[in-house]
Amino acid sequence: MNILSLLLAGGRWRCFPVPLGSSLFQSLHNSCYRKKSTAPKKIIPHVDFSDENAKESGKALDKLFSSEQQASILHVLNTASNKELEAFTLLRGKKSLSIVDHREKFGPFQNLESLMNVPLFQYKTTIQVCNSILNPETGGKKRKLQENRLLRKLIKPEIGRERLKAINSIVSIVSGTRRIAWAHLDRQLAVLDWQQTEYCRLMKGTYLSSAYLEEISSVVSKMPKADFYVLEKTGPSFQNSSLFPILLHFHIMEAMLYALLNTTFTRDGRHQVLSMNRNAVGKHFELMIGDTRTSGKEVVKQLLSESVLKEEPRVFFPPDKIVRYRQMFSSTEQYRVEELYDSLLQAIAFYELAVFNTES
């Protein structure tokens, strides 16, 4: 019996008869109807190393930590709340939640090895977490790091904390487009001097360096001596081109004050002039509404009243000067003299945020 077979010849398929017993038929049959091989497959055994690794890791953890240390770590893991666990740097976020969830589902941790059953915890992670529990950065070291970060955001350039602790008095300076004001306070927050002066030439005509030098030199000559001079760090956005003259004015003022007040910088390279973040002062006195800062007039008015009415006021105005300061405030209250108010508030904020917060 023959069957028809197809062969490709000259680019076309052609049919021709093929005998059943022929070798060609057998090869075609095998290629079209290939039987599944009955030969046994080569099986690669699956080796689970988890138990072996866990045992070895557990033994390693036992060698790394003494029995007393293990007991201390397990006490924290089994008793601390989620918030308490987050106090440790390496247990913030999902790790602390995973520990609490595992504890609720499976009960307290019996040994350090069981910590590796918690999601996100591998051998190295477990060691790091155990070390962080034994040596937490929740004390002095962590506090210092936080203080340093806050100081970097608060004042520029950076200065050592030991210099801040040694401050006896500062002059806080705030300049605007028409006037400049300063407040001289000692570390008891006693107001030793507080005044303002106007400069009319600087925003008129061209920006002559000589005019700035003459005006600012005259102002600086009236300022009292202090350990540090603190300037307000502010300025309009570069995106608003119409404010460029004002921005330029602020930068020139800041540069002039840095040069004229840093009298010893050329000798010792130590800064006596610092720039303080304006918004940080506003937040300290709750004057910020979104990104906008409101007037500090009412806060200053309250400070003046407390100095007379309270036995221990926040700010102390010497009796021989309180009358003059109150009169000065009353005479300027109807005008917008934010520089005068801000110079006083900036001095208070500098002591409370940068000096007193770093004392041990």
Side-chain angles (χ1 to χ4, degrees):
M1 183 176 181
N2 297 337
I3 66 168
L4 293 177
S5 181
L6 299 175
L7 288 178
L8 185 62
R12 294 185 180 183
W13 291 100
R14 298 181 62 185
C15 299
F16 61 94
V18 180
L20 284 177
S22 67
S23 58
L24 177 59
F25 171 80
Q26 190 64 34
S27 60
L28 287 172
H29 181 272
N30 290 341
S31 62
C32 296
Y33 303 96
R34 191 177 300 277
K35 294 181 180 180
K36 293 183 180 179
S37 173
T38 56
K41 293 182 179 179
K42 186 178 181 181
I43 300 174
I44 301 174
H46 173 69
V47 181
D48 186 0
F49 295 100
S50 58
D51 292 339
E52 184 179 349
N53 289 340
K55 290 178 182 179
E56 291 184 2
S57 299
K59 293 177 181 178
L61 289 172
D62 290 339
K63 293 177 181 178
L64 288 173
F65 303 100
S66 66
S67 55
E68 291 81 6
Q69 289 175 328
Q70 292 180 44
S72 300
I73 296 168
L74 289 172
H75 176 73
V76 172
L77 294 174
N78 290 328
T79 61
S81 65
N82 179 38
K83 288 185 177 180
E84 290 171 336
L85 289 171
E86 283 190 338
F88 300 97
T89 305
L90 295 177
L91 290 179
R92 291 174 185 166
K94 293 183 179 180
K95 285 189 174 68
S96 61
L97 291 172
S98 297
I99 288 175
V100 174
D101 289 343
H102 190 275
R103 201 169 63 196
E104 291 175 352
K105 291 178 182 178
F106 303 102
F109 296 96
Q110 300 299 321
N111 47 49
L112 300 185
E113 179 185 343
S114 59
L115 186 58
M116 288 188 289
N117 295 325
V118 179
L120 304 177
F121 283 81
Q122 300 297 328
Y123 176 63
K124 289 183 179 179
T125 308
T126 302
I127 294 175
Q128 292 171 346
V129 167
C130 291
N131 282 323
S132 70
I133 292 174
L134 292 174
N135 304 289
E137 292 184 355
T138 53
K141 184 178 179 181
K142 184 178 179 181
R143 222 172 16 251
K144 287 179 182 178
L145 291 173
Q146 290 175 339
E147 288 168 0
N148 291 336
R149 281 195 294 267
L150 290 173
L151 281 176
R152 282 194 291 270
K153 293 180 181 179
L154 186 66
I155 55 177
K156 298 289 184 181
E158 294 181 33
I159 60 169
R161 294 175 68 247
E162 66 282 353
R163 292 187 68 195
L164 288 173
K165 288 182 179 182
I167 287 176
N168 291 313
S169 74
I170 65 166
V171 172
S172 170
I173 305 168
V174 175
S175 60
T177 56
R178 295 176 52 192
R179 65 182 63 87
I180 184 169
W182 64 88
H184 185 203
L185 273 69
D186 64 16
R187 81 183 289 114
Q188 280 73 45
L189 295 188
V191 181
L192 308 177
D193 186 33
W194 184 33
Q195 57 180 296
Q196 67 176 5
T197 185
E198 294 194 2
Y199 40 69
C200 302
R201 290 195 299 159
L202 299 184
M203 289 298 292
K204 293 181 180 179
T206 57
Y207 288 78
L208 295 175
S209 300
S210 58
Y212 270 90
L213 180 61
E214 291 167 10
E215 289 279 359
I216 305 307
S217 294
S218 175
V219 172
V220 167
S221 67
K222 300 174 186 177
M223 292 181 181
K225 300 296 181 183
D227 296 319
F228 282 96
Y229 299 88
V230 183
L231 312 182
E232 182 183 64
K233 186 65 176 176
T234 184
S237 171
F238 277 103
Q239 297 176 356
N240 191 341
S241 58
S242 65
L243 296 177
F244 179 75
I246 298 175
L247 181 65
L248 178 61
H249 167 77
F250 284 141
H251 279 296
I252 294 175
M253 286 292 298
E254 187 178 38
M256 286 283 179
L257 290 169
Y258 263 89
L260 294 171
L261 293 171
N262 263 320
T263 55
T264 63
F265 184 79
T266 54
R267 296 196 304 269
D268 55 23
R270 304 179 77 188
H271 286 280
Q272 284 183 282
V273 182
L274 307 172
S275 295
M276 188 168 184
N277 188 301
R278 171 181 167 81
N279 285 351
V281 178
K283 290 177 182 177
H284 188 60
F285 289 100
E286 299 181 349
L287 297 176
M288 300 299 295
I289 300 177
D291 294 331
T292 306
R293 178 169 157 179
T294 61
S295 174
K297 180 175 67 175
E298 293 302 318
V299 178
V300 172
K301 188 176 181 179
Q302 183 180 353
L303 292 172
L304 282 164
S305 299
E306 289 177 356
S307 182
V308 177
L309 301 175
K310 286 189 174 182
E311 186 176 347
E312 295 184 0
R314 184 175 183 176
V315 182
F316 178 70
F317 293 86
D320 60 326
K321 295 181 179 180
I322 184 65
V323 175
R324 179 165 66 87
Y325 291 144
R326 287 173 67 91
Q327 289 175 346
M328 178 182 68
F329 181 84
S330 300
S331 65
T332 59
E333 194 172 3
Q334 58 183 327
Y335 305 106
R336 188 174 180 83
V337 287
E338 296 302 323
E339 295 88 356
L340 185 67
Y341 312 140
D342 290 348
S343 63
L344 180 64
L345 297 180
Q346 180 175 262
I348 299 166
F350 180 84
Y351 273 112
E352 293 179 346
L353 294 175
V355 179
F356 299 154
N357 267 358
T358 61
E359 291 187 333
S360 356

